[in-house]
Amino acid sequence: MASYPAVEVAWRRSGDLDPVADLLYAALDPFQPLAIDTRLDAPASTLDLEEIWSVFFRSPAQRDAAAAALDAELGARLIRIDRIDVPDDGWGRRSQAQLRAIRVGRVVVAPPWDVDDTAEIQILIEPSTGFGTGHHETTRLCLAALQEAGLRGRRVVDVGTGSGVLAITAAKLGAAAVVAVDNDPDALRNTRENVAMNEAAAAIEVIESELSDLSIEAADVVVANLTAPVLVRHADALKQIIAPGGVLIASGFGDAEEHEVAGALAPLRPRPPQRAGAWSAVVFDSPGA
Ligand code: SAH
């Protein structure tokens, strides 16, 4: 049976404002984890709760690099960091079966078992290996920014579409045409499944491509929930696909990285950042605006 390379980390929680989860997200981000399965344990030996995360990666090499980075950056805060191989018996769907719908403004993102019929705009997402159930702060910041952007009749590109959640939201907000791009074929299977489930196939073109190789017509709104290193490395490719007067919604980085991301994206002009937890999103105006 195939197995997934993972790292299991555990730490003792210090109250509601425990910083370790945010630090872990930031430290794991460069290694593009596929999924994170979290649980709480109450060991008999102590009154403190233990939080335990199983973090899944695409390859053993990526897992090993992530484990080494966690050890170096957060070793002192963690009780243990174990490299494990988890049998592929459907953990992806099972571990996410507890997920509930989330709401951001007028948009509800729901797994198929928690639909909200009162939602003005409902996006159904089948949790799978495509990142983007709506639960991550960066996805939520992008969902809010898309609602502010005035998408009716506009052309939108979603770079790093993952589950397709942002592309589908753009289509439901009235965008005339949406292109959803990812370089990960596994994520794109989930994108297509979700586009079909939301009956959005007429408005959304799904493309497998590296951001750097993308050759498409420029868009009024580009949304890119990636990471700081990816945004910086591919800043020129991103600028190429924004029409004059258009905007870029960028997320996937923390406040300490805002400056570097904005520097790489100049002459695009950053608006004031929006923040949630350890994460930021910045809307950039193209100079033609
Ligand atoms: N848009 C979703 C998912 C973001 S996760 C959301 O906001 O929730 C980031 C996605 O970007 C992943 O699916 C990853 O495969 C993709 N990605 C990362 N680097 C990329 C690159 N260089 N070119 C294309 N896609 C990339």
Side-chain angles (χ1 to χ4, degrees):
M1 193 197 304
S3 66
Y4 281 95
V7 176
E8 192 169 273
V9 296
W11 72 96
R12 236 158 248 133
R13 280 241 291 219
S14 55
D16 287 341
L17 288 175
D18 184 66
V20 175
D22 282 344
L23 293 171
L24 272 173
Y25 274 128
L28 288 166
D29 208 43
F31 305 98
Q32 297 195 1
L34 290 171
I36 302 177
D37 188 1
T38 70
R39 64 182 201 273
L40 281 176
D41 194 17
S45 55
T46 154
L47 286 177
D48 294 328
L49 283 179
E50 263 180 25
E51 183 140 353
I52 302 162
W53 284 15
S54 303
V55 187
F56 296 86
F57 297 90
R58 211 177 301 281
S59 68
Q62 215 154 27
R63 181 268 311 276
D64 292 346
L70 290 182
D71 196 19
E73 290 173 40
L74 291 169
R77 292 178 184 259
L78 301 173
I79 306 170
R80 58 189 165 82
I81 303 172
D82 294 327
R83 297 168 199 213
I84 56 174
D85 289 289
V86 179
D88 174 13
D89 58 352
W91 59 267
R93 281 162 205 272
R94 208 187 47 237
S95 68
Q96 305 210 42
Q98 308 300 327
L99 283 185
R100 290 276 161 271
I102 59 110
R103 176 186 288 274
V104 178
R106 290 181 292 142
V107 172
V108 170
V109 181
W113 53 86
D114 192 27
V115 295
D116 175 357
D117 289 327
T118 67
E120 189 180 334
I121 298 177
Q122 177 154 255
I123 317 294
L124 294 177
I125 293 294
E126 179 70 62
S128 178
T129 50
F131 180 105
T133 54
H135 288 74
H136 197 269
E137 285 91 338
T138 58
T139 309
R140 299 167 60 92
L141 287 164
C142 291
L143 288 168
L146 285 171
Q147 292 174 70
E148 299 286 304
L151 296 186
R152 194 151 290 285
R154 294 308 175 104
R155 187 178 152 76
V156 178
V157 176
D158 174 17
V159 189
T161 194
S163 67
V165 60
L166 302 178
I168 296 166
T169 299
K172 300 273 175 199
L173 287 168
V178 182
V179 178
V181 182
D182 209 290
N183 62 0
D184 175 1
D186 287 333
L188 286 169
R189 263 193 290 283
N190 187 223
T191 314
R192 293 197 175 92
E193 177 185 26
N194 288 321
V195 166
M197 188 160 56
N198 288 278
E199 295 170 357
I204 302 177
E205 184 186 359
V206 179
I207 297 181
E208 181 177 343
S209 173
E210 256 301 317
L211 169 51
S212 50
D213 299 338
L214 201 57
S215 87
I216 52 170
E217 197 187 318
D220 305 306
V221 177
V222 175
V223 58
N225 185 10
L226 297 161
T227 61
V230 174
L231 290 166
V232 168
R233 194 170 340 121
H234 299 299
D236 287 337
L238 283 166
K239 289 177 221 173
Q240 294 281 322
I241 55 173
I242 304 169
V247 298
L248 167 67
I249 299 165
S251 190
F253 48 88
D255 54 2
E257 296 165 314
E258 286 166 7
H259 186 71
E260 188 195 356
V261 170
L265 286 167
L268 302 185
R269 289 191 308 264
R271 297 185 197 169
Q274 302 294 313
R275 301 201 179 102
W279 300 96
S280 306
V282 177
V283 177
F284 291 85
D285 289 291
S286 94

